[in-house]
Amino acid sequence: MATSAKVTSKNQITLPAALRKSLDIHAGDRIDFVANSKGVFEVHVLRESLADLIGVLKSDQPVSSEDIEKWIAEARGAMATGSGNVGD
């Protein structure tokens, strides 16, 4: 499938309906654009949210929202590169 979208004066795009349907994209989903080794961008749809993580961490020490955001960013970076090595 080939499709295009126009960039508005606010640097926003509306994803065409066929693309949203094909990728099962819904309001609230996060989309990452990742350059592969050939320089072609891939679209990754991420549906997790902080609400999905409630109760996952068990710790005797307090965890800040900044810590959580850092861990999520590291995990997304590892997923994007395919390394799977989070926190190394």
Side-chain angles (χ1 to χ4, degrees):
M1 170 195 335
T3 189
S4 63
K6 184 177 178 181
V7 179
T8 70
S9 62
K10 294 183 179 181
N11 292 317
Q12 298 173 331
I13 62 170
T14 298
L15 297 175
L19 180 62
R20 291 191 314 268
K21 183 176 181 180
S22 174
L23 295 174
D24 193 31
I25 297 172
H26 301 280
D29 288 345
R30 179 178 172 85
I31 301 172
D32 284 350
F33 301 93
V34 181
N36 66 21
S37 60
K38 297 179 182 178
V40 176
F41 280 86
E42 300 173 357
V43 177
H44 297 254
V45 181
L46 305 171
R47 293 181 177 84
E48 70 273 350
S49 68
L50 286 177
D52 297 332
L53 300 176
I54 292 174
V56 172
L57 295 175
K58 306 291 183 203
S59 177
D60 295 332
Q61 299 178 352
V63 178
S64 71
S65 61
E66 290 83 13
D67 289 335
I68 294 171
E69 292 294 336
K70 179 183 170 195
W71 296 332
I72 291 171
E74 288 175 358
R76 284 185 175 145
M79 287 174 23
T81 62
S83 72
N85 296 326
V86 178
D88 287 346

